[in-house]
PDB file of all heavy atoms in Angstrom:
ATOM      1  N   MET R 129     -20.481   1.964   5.048  1.00 72.00           N
ATOM      2  CA  MET R 129     -19.363   2.292   5.763  1.00 72.00           C
ATOM      3  C   MET R 129     -18.032   1.781   5.014  1.00 72.00           C
ATOM      4  O   MET R 129     -16.979   2.449   5.068  1.00 72.00           O
ATOM      5  CB  MET R 129     -19.366   1.600   7.162  1.00 72.00           C
ATOM      6  CG  MET R 129     -18.154   1.889   7.966  1.00 72.00           C
ATOM      7  SD  MET R 129     -17.988   3.687   8.342  1.00 72.00           S
ATOM      8  CE  MET R 129     -19.383   3.940   9.517  1.00 72.00           C
ATOM      9  N   ALA R 130     -18.129   0.665   4.255  1.00 73.00           N
ATOM     10  CA  ALA R 130     -17.023   0.106   3.565  1.00 73.00           C
ATOM     11  C   ALA R 130     -16.579   1.179   2.475  1.00 73.00           C
ATOM     12  O   ALA R 130     -15.378   1.419   2.312  1.00 73.00           O
ATOM     13  CB  ALA R 130     -17.321  -1.166   2.872  1.00 73.00           C
ATOM     14  N   VAL R 131     -17.537   1.753   1.724  1.00 78.00           N
ATOM     15  CA  VAL R 131     -17.213   2.726   0.684  1.00 78.00           C
ATOM     16  C   VAL R 131     -16.584   3.979   1.368  1.00 78.00           C
ATOM     17  O   VAL R 131     -15.678   4.546   0.764  1.00 78.00           O
ATOM     18  CB  VAL R 131     -18.455   3.058  -0.042  1.00 78.00           C
ATOM     19  CG1 VAL R 131     -18.163   4.172  -1.133  1.00 78.00           C
ATOM     20  CG2 VAL R 131     -18.966   1.900  -0.789  1.00 78.00           C
ATOM     21  N   TYR R 132     -17.092   4.467   2.468  1.00 77.00           N
ATOM     22  CA  TYR R 132     -16.611   5.532   3.223  1.00 77.00           C
ATOM     23  C   TYR R 132     -15.133   5.342   3.555  1.00 77.00           C
ATOM     24  O   TYR R 132     -14.253   6.226   3.377  1.00 77.00           O
ATOM     25  CB  TYR R 132     -17.426   5.838   4.398  1.00 77.00           C
ATOM     26  CG  TYR R 132     -16.662   6.827   5.405  1.00 77.00           C
ATOM     27  CD1 TYR R 132     -16.572   8.191   5.108  1.00 77.00           C
ATOM     28  CD2 TYR R 132     -15.960   6.351   6.552  1.00 77.00           C
ATOM     29  CE1 TYR R 132     -15.875   9.057   5.990  1.00 77.00           C
ATOM     30  CE2 TYR R 132     -15.341   7.202   7.323  1.00 77.00           C
ATOM     31  CZ  TYR R 132     -15.262   8.567   7.135  1.00 77.00           C
ATOM     32  OH  TYR R 132     -14.560   9.362   7.911  1.00 77.00           O
ATOM     33  N   ARG R 133     -14.772   4.185   4.141  1.00 83.00           N
ATOM     34  CA  ARG R 133     -13.411   3.853   4.571  1.00 83.00           C
ATOM     35  C   ARG R 133     -12.567   3.864   3.222  1.00 83.00           C
ATOM     36  O   ARG R 133     -11.511   4.327   3.351  1.00 83.00           O
ATOM     37  CB  ARG R 133     -13.404   2.529   5.252  1.00 83.00           C
ATOM     38  CG  ARG R 133     -14.053   2.542   6.577  1.00 83.00           C
ATOM     39  CD  ARG R 133     -13.744   1.238   7.288  1.00 83.00           C
ATOM     40  NE  ARG R 133     -14.422   1.138   8.600  1.00 83.00           N
ATOM     41  CZ  ARG R 133     -15.361   0.311   8.933  1.00 83.00           C
ATOM     42  NH1 ARG R 133     -15.873  -0.485   8.011  1.00 83.00           N
ATOM     43  NH2 ARG R 133     -15.966   0.322  10.084  1.00 83.00           N
ATOM     44  N   ASN R 134     -12.972   3.351   2.224  1.00 80.00           N
ATOM     45  CA  ASN R 134     -12.228   3.203   1.012  1.00 80.00           C
ATOM     46  C   ASN R 134     -11.892   4.580   0.481  1.00 80.00           C
ATOM     47  O   ASN R 134     -10.826   4.981  -0.033  1.00 80.00           O
ATOM     48  CB  ASN R 134     -12.908   2.300   0.006  1.00 80.00           C
ATOM     49  CG  ASN R 134     -12.033   2.082  -1.313  1.00 80.00           C
ATOM     50  OD1 ASN R 134     -12.237   2.652  -2.350  1.00 80.00           O
ATOM     51  ND2 ASN R 134     -11.111   1.216  -1.094  1.00 80.00           N
ATOM     52  N   THR R 135     -12.950   5.430   0.411  1.00 79.00           N
ATOM     53  CA  THR R 135     -12.833   6.784  -0.078  1.00 79.00           C
ATOM     54  C   THR R 135     -11.826   7.560   0.763  1.00 79.00           C
ATOM     55  O   THR R 135     -11.022   8.306   0.244  1.00 79.00           O
ATOM     56  CB  THR R 135     -14.343   7.491   0.011  1.00 79.00           C
ATOM     57  OG1 THR R 135     -15.100   6.783  -0.806  1.00 79.00           O
ATOM     58  CG2 THR R 135     -14.087   8.912  -0.612  1.00 79.00           C
ATOM     59  N   ARG R 136     -11.982   7.414   2.161  1.00 82.00           N
ATOM     60  CA  ARG R 136     -11.051   8.136   2.958  1.00 82.00           C
ATOM     61  C   ARG R 136      -9.579   7.772   2.677  1.00 82.00           C
ATOM     62  O   ARG R 136      -8.638   8.513   2.756  1.00 82.00           O
ATOM     63  CB  ARG R 136     -11.383   7.780   4.461  1.00 82.00           C
ATOM     64  CG  ARG R 136     -10.392   8.397   5.478  1.00 82.00           C
ATOM     65  CD  ARG R 136     -10.604   9.828   5.551  1.00 82.00           C
ATOM     66  NE  ARG R 136      -9.584  10.461   6.428  1.00 82.00           N
ATOM     67  CZ  ARG R 136      -8.383  10.773   6.192  1.00 82.00           C
ATOM     68  NH1 ARG R 136      -7.838  10.545   4.989  1.00 82.00           N
ATOM     69  NH2 ARG R 136      -7.590  11.331   7.021  1.00 82.00           N
ATOM     70  N   ALA R 137      -9.335   6.392   2.459  1.00 87.00           N
ATOM     71  CA  ALA R 137      -7.992   5.912   2.166  1.00 87.00           C
ATOM     72  C   ALA R 137      -7.477   6.408   0.763  1.00 87.00           C
ATOM     73  O   ALA R 137      -6.417   6.862   0.622  1.00 87.00           O
ATOM     74  CB  ALA R 137      -7.969   4.428   2.195  1.00 87.00           C
ATOM     75  N   ARG R 138      -8.403   6.465  -0.223  1.00 83.00           N
ATOM     76  CA  ARG R 138      -7.948   6.788  -1.544  1.00 83.00           C
ATOM     77  C   ARG R 138      -7.662   8.306  -1.626  1.00 83.00           C
ATOM     78  O   ARG R 138      -6.942   8.714  -2.526  1.00 83.00           O
ATOM     79  CB  ARG R 138      -9.064   6.550  -2.586  1.00 83.00           C
ATOM     80  CG  ARG R 138      -9.197   5.068  -2.842  1.00 83.00           C
ATOM     81  CD  ARG R 138     -10.149   4.812  -4.066  1.00 83.00           C
ATOM     82  NE  ARG R 138     -10.288   3.413  -4.315  1.00 83.00           N
ATOM     83  CZ  ARG R 138     -10.814   2.895  -5.498  1.00 83.00           C
ATOM     84  NH1 ARG R 138     -11.321   3.733  -6.275  1.00 83.00           N
ATOM     85  NH2 ARG R 138     -10.849   1.666  -5.643  1.00 83.00           N
ATOM     86  N   LEU R 139      -8.163   9.103  -0.694  1.00 82.00           N
ATOM     87  CA  LEU R 139      -7.784  10.588  -0.667  1.00 82.00           C
ATOM     88  C   LEU R 139      -6.302  10.817  -0.261  1.00 82.00           C
ATOM     89  O   LEU R 139      -5.764  11.771  -0.652  1.00 82.00           O
ATOM     90  CB  LEU R 139      -8.621  11.375   0.378  1.00 82.00           C
ATOM     91  CG  LEU R 139     -10.154  11.493  -0.040  1.00 82.00           C
ATOM     92  CD1 LEU R 139     -10.984  12.062   1.108  1.00 82.00           C
ATOM     93  CD2 LEU R 139     -10.211  12.408  -1.323  1.00 82.00           C
ATOM     94  N   GLU R 140      -5.767   9.735   0.452  1.00 87.00           N
ATOM     95  CA  GLU R 140      -4.451   9.848   0.899  1.00 87.00           C
ATOM     96  C   GLU R 140      -3.447   8.956  -0.027  1.00 87.00           C
ATOM     97  O   GLU R 140      -2.310   9.369  -0.140  1.00 87.00           O
ATOM     98  CB  GLU R 140      -4.292   9.433   2.335  1.00 87.00           C
ATOM     99  CG  GLU R 140      -2.991   9.638   2.962  1.00 87.00           C
ATOM    100  CD  GLU R 140      -2.629  11.199   3.101  1.00 87.00           C
ATOM    101  OE1 GLU R 140      -3.550  11.946   3.182  1.00 87.00           O
ATOM    102  OE2 GLU R 140      -1.441  11.547   3.187  1.00 87.00           O
ATOM    103  N   VAL R 141      -3.957   7.890  -0.525  1.00 90.00           N
ATOM    104  CA  VAL R 141      -3.055   6.916  -1.236  1.00 90.00           C
ATOM    105  C   VAL R 141      -3.579   6.569  -2.593  1.00 90.00           C
ATOM    106  O   VAL R 141      -4.795   6.159  -2.690  1.00 90.00           O
ATOM    107  CB  VAL R 141      -2.886   5.653  -0.340  1.00 90.00           C
ATOM    108  CG1 VAL R 141      -1.950   4.564  -0.998  1.00 90.00           C
ATOM    109  CG2 VAL R 141      -2.396   5.942   1.062  1.00 90.00           C
ATOM    110  N   ASP R 142      -2.834   6.621  -3.556  1.00 88.00           N
ATOM    111  CA  ASP R 142      -3.248   6.270  -4.929  1.00 88.00           C
ATOM    112  C   ASP R 142      -2.780   4.863  -5.279  1.00 88.00           C
ATOM    113  O   ASP R 142      -1.599   4.635  -5.449  1.00 88.00           O
ATOM    114  CB  ASP R 142      -2.604   7.335  -5.945  1.00 88.00           C
ATOM    115  CG  ASP R 142      -2.960   6.979  -7.342  1.00 88.00           C
ATOM    116  OD1 ASP R 142      -3.867   6.111  -7.604  1.00 88.00           O
ATOM    117  OD2 ASP R 142      -2.311   7.573  -8.313  1.00 88.00           O
ATOM    118  N   LEU R 143      -3.726   3.959  -5.265  1.00 90.00           N
ATOM    119  CA  LEU R 143      -3.500   2.531  -5.706  1.00 90.00           C
ATOM    120  C   LEU R 143      -4.023   2.206  -7.090  1.00 90.00           C
ATOM    121  O   LEU R 143      -4.508   1.161  -7.239  1.00 90.00           O
ATOM    122  CB  LEU R 143      -3.993   1.621  -4.672  1.00 90.00           C
ATOM    123  CG  LEU R 143      -3.404   1.796  -3.157  1.00 90.00           C
ATOM    124  CD1 LEU R 143      -3.964   0.832  -2.263  1.00 90.00           C
ATOM    125  CD2 LEU R 143      -1.865   1.537  -3.255  1.00 90.00           C
TER     126      LEU R 143
END
Side-chain angles (χ1 to χ4, degrees):
M129 185 59 75
V131 175
Y132 164 77
R133 292 191 181 107
N134 186 255
T135 302
R136 178 67 184 83
R138 287 191 180 188
L139 288 173
E140 188 68 26
V141 183
D142 178 13
L143 296 179

